[in-house]
Amino acid sequence: MANESLTITDNRTGKSYDLPITYGTIHATDLRKIKMNDDDFGMMTYDPAFMNTASCKSTVTFIDGDKGILRYRGYPIEQLAEKSNYLEVTYLLLYGNLPTKEQLTAWEDSIKLHTYIHENVKKLMEGFRYDAHPMGMFISTVAALSTFYPEANKIFDPEIRQKQILRLIGKVPTIAAFSYRHIKGMPYVYPNNSDSFIQNFLNMMYSIGTPHSEIPPIFEKALNILFILHADHEQNCSTSAMRSVGSSHVDPYSATAAAAAALYGPLHGGANEAVLRMLDHIGNIKEVPAFIEKVKNGEGRLMGFGHRVYKNFDPRATVIKNLANEVFKVTGVDPKLEIALELERIALHDEYFIKRKLYPNVDFYSGLIYKAMRFPVEFFPVLFAIPRTSGWITHWQEMLLDEDQKIARPRQIYLGHDSRDYVPIEKRK
Ligand code: CMC
């Protein structure tokens, strides 16, 4: 077997260092041995945006961006999307294996015990402005849960931790649905625990005047698949935020609110909303070539395209594109689909996008499905946050139980002023 080490020669001093290689990586702190002299802090790596830094070891999700592979706990995403259901996937993510029938029933029952929110949480939500962005409401309300469950900060007690996991998975659909009803000016609909997880969520969204609304079965199927596809995606921006904030040992509600805030941005989970706004802005299929030219000239981005990890195709986008066709058969084709298809067709043949390996990502088509299901655009990131909550808490728990982990605290290269004396205000120029 080849020697599992890396030899580095520092040409400033002529010294050589042998650094052990584990799992194809070197330990960044080993570089600190590389010094000019005893006063030298030692070598660091400069890696803004963590382009090439593994921040943890994980057994949850595997991605091969070049081959377009995504697996949860070893199971290919395509198989899970076709055969599983969202709650089964949450169990898989959290506990590492698919549940038996008994385990699944017990899991579903225990989540159902936690779908209601405290009446004062409801009152808090009622206090938002009529036009509040539902993602802002979602983030703030999840954070507020920490004040209702103060014991949640005992994060190293396995029973207490488990209770908060159930509460988070059970309550986020209720908070999401209440935020939707709020912007619609409609009374909040309480959870119905005799429904499935997805049926209950759709009912809290759509029900008007009757305890149960007529929901096309394809909506339940679509949401189940979309929730599975969005449940986890290893060390993305929001999951890294969850781990980073959670590494301070704050309670899981505050950490989840931080993760949801990271998801809100248009480069991450806000991209599905941004895609629809972009399609609105383009307005007409004839305008597509001019829009593409603008993107190529650096005037904005083609939202829903490109990914930090996927450089061939996003396997979630493939599943979603097929799903979109199934949904449109029932709802009718959205005229925006034509614009989206034309954007995709031109971009996939254009040198600019080919050279940079930019392909449609999960958000390119998910927004069109959500729109066909009559969800308002500002609600799209919330629909991403509901399932991603299960990924966040899976990573949060993995981080807490990982002995290698400590409070996240990156280094910097300081390029500011050297020491200088304070200047009284009257002497400043
Ligand atoms: N449209 C046009 N050009 C792009 C795009 C795009 N969507 N994405 C990347 N580029 C260009 C970028 O300008 C750069 O060009 P150059 O080398 O000439 O400077 C090159 O491609 C590399 O881009 P980057 O910004 O260095 O790549 P990144 O890995 O930092 O960014 C990304 C990844 C997803 C933030 C980016 O592709 C993007 O902004 N896409 C649009 C937003 C989007 O759809 N986000 C959803 C991501 S998938 C859901 C999720 O997991 O959050």
Side-chain angles (χ1 to χ4, degrees):
M1 196 172 118
N3 189 3
E4 292 288 300
S5 72
L6 179 74
T7 303
I8 296 179
T9 304
D10 184 347
N11 294 322
R12 299 170 304 176
T13 59
K15 279 195 202 160
S16 280
Y17 303 82
D18 267 342
L19 309 185
I21 298 176
T22 328
Y23 304 115
T25 58
I26 56 162
H27 218 291
T29 49
D30 282 347
L31 293 172
R32 295 270 293 278
K33 294 177 204 155
I34 304 173
K35 294 179 177 215
M36 295 278 282
N37 52 52
D38 286 347
D39 293 338
D40 188 353
F41 179 78
M43 185 69 74
M44 296 190 296
T45 55
Y46 176 57
D47 190 10
F50 301 114
M51 300 287 285
N52 194 37
T53 295
S55 63
C56 62
K57 296 174 193 152
S58 180
T59 59
V60 183
T61 291
F62 172 78
I63 299 176
D64 183 329
D66 292 328
K67 297 196 182 115
I69 292 173
L70 168 61
R71 299 184 200 128
Y72 296 162
R73 301 283 189 186
Y75 294 103
I77 194 68
E78 295 82 0
Q79 289 182 27
L80 292 170
E82 190 191 334
K83 298 176 182 161
S84 187
N85 68 64
Y86 171 65
L87 274 196
E88 182 175 73
V89 166
T90 60
Y91 185 100
L92 172 68
L93 287 173
L94 277 156
Y95 305 109
N97 285 306
L98 287 169
T100 62
K101 221 173 185 177
E102 293 73 33
Q103 284 169 330
L104 182 59
T105 308
W107 177 241
E108 287 169 347
D109 288 348
S110 52
I111 301 278
K112 279 181 185 169
L113 287 178
H114 296 285
T115 53
Y116 270 64
I117 55 175
H118 194 290
E119 280 295 290
N120 285 355
V121 178
K122 193 183 104 185
K123 283 191 194 133
L124 183 130
M125 294 189 77
E126 281 166 353
F128 284 103
R129 271 180 66 112
Y130 67 97
D131 58 353
H133 195 292
M135 194 62 177
M137 292 175 71
F138 181 88
I139 293 165
S140 325
T141 309
V142 169
L145 290 181
S146 71
T147 66
F148 288 82
Y149 309 110
E151 77 280 11
N153 63 9
K154 295 194 179 64
I155 52 171
F156 289 106
D157 180 320
E159 268 180 48
I160 292 181
R161 208 169 51 233
Q162 175 69 3
K163 187 81 164 276
Q164 316 320 313
I165 288 171
L166 294 174
R167 282 180 174 146
L168 272 164
I169 297 178
K171 288 181 201 312
V172 287
T174 313
I175 294 170
F178 283 16
S179 73
Y180 169 81
R181 304 289 292 202
H182 185 85
I183 56 168
K184 291 280 168 192
M186 278 161 44
Y188 303 168
V189 175
Y190 285 93
N192 182 340
N193 290 332
S194 52
D195 282 347
S196 75
F197 187 86
I198 305 273
Q199 276 168 349
N200 170 49
F201 173 63
L202 287 172
N203 195 55
M204 288 190 290
M205 297 284 296
Y206 290 124
S207 177
I208 304 176
T210 50
H212 261 84
S213 55
E214 289 292 313
I215 298 163
I218 185 66
F219 283 16
E220 191 183 345
K221 178 180 171 184
L223 213 53
N224 183 49
I225 293 177
L226 286 161
F227 278 11
I228 291 173
L229 297 178
H230 285 90
D232 193 44
H233 212 233
E234 52 117 306
Q235 310 310 318
N236 54 84
C237 177
S238 56
T239 303
S240 302
M242 181 84 188
R243 281 179 171 266
S244 189
V245 173
S247 76
S248 74
H249 293 177
V250 73
D251 69 89
Y253 301 108
S254 304
T256 302
L263 187 74
Y264 193 2
L267 298 189
H268 191 9
N272 50 18
E273 178 181 349
V275 169
L276 260 281
R277 294 199 191 281
M278 172 185 76
L279 296 177
D280 271 342
H281 169 77
I282 297 172
N284 189 308
I285 194 164
K286 285 194 228 115
E287 303 298 327
V288 170
F291 180 79
I292 295 266
E293 277 316 301
K294 278 190 181 166
V295 168
K296 286 161 58 176
N297 290 333
E299 296 170 44
R301 290 199 161 191
L302 180 47
M303 299 313 285
F305 257 66
H307 200 275
R308 171 65 56 80
V309 183
Y310 295 120
K311 298 297 174 197
N312 186 340
F313 66 95
D314 180 341
R316 302 168 299 174
T318 313
V319 176
I320 288 188
K321 195 172 176 185
N322 295 334
L323 180 67
N325 290 327
E326 269 190 74
V327 173
F328 296 149
K329 271 189 206 143
V330 176
T331 60
V333 174
D334 190 300
K336 294 207 175 60
L337 178 67
E338 256 197 336
I339 302 176
L341 286 171
E342 185 64 359
L343 275 174
E344 187 187 27
R345 191 187 66 76
I346 297 184
L348 290 180
H349 290 93
D350 190 295
E351 188 54 24
Y352 174 96
F353 296 90
I354 295 171
K355 207 172 112 199
R356 292 169 179 78
K357 301 189 171 176
L358 301 170
Y359 298 89
N361 60 48
V362 68
D363 288 324
F364 194 66
Y365 284 104
S366 61
L368 286 166
I369 301 182
Y370 293 143
K371 183 159 185 292
M373 292 170 76
R374 304 195 308 273
F375 295 133
V377 280
E378 60 270 38
F379 194 64
F380 296 176
V382 179
L383 289 161
F384 194 154
I386 298 170
R388 184 55 61 88
T389 299
S390 61
W392 291 331
I393 45 175
T394 302
H395 283 274
W396 169 73
Q397 180 156 258
E398 189 179 62
M399 179 271 303
L400 287 180
L401 302 180
D402 179 348
E403 287 179 355
D404 283 356
Q405 292 294 336
K406 285 172 177 280
I407 187 166
R409 206 310 185 179
R411 295 279 176 179
Q412 64 168 5
I413 303 171
Y414 178 70
L415 298 176
H417 284 283
D418 210 341
S419 173
R420 50 182 179 161
D421 289 326
Y422 181 81
V423 181
I425 197 159
E426 56 282 0
K427 292 201 175 156
R428 287 178 216 159
K429 294 197 181 113

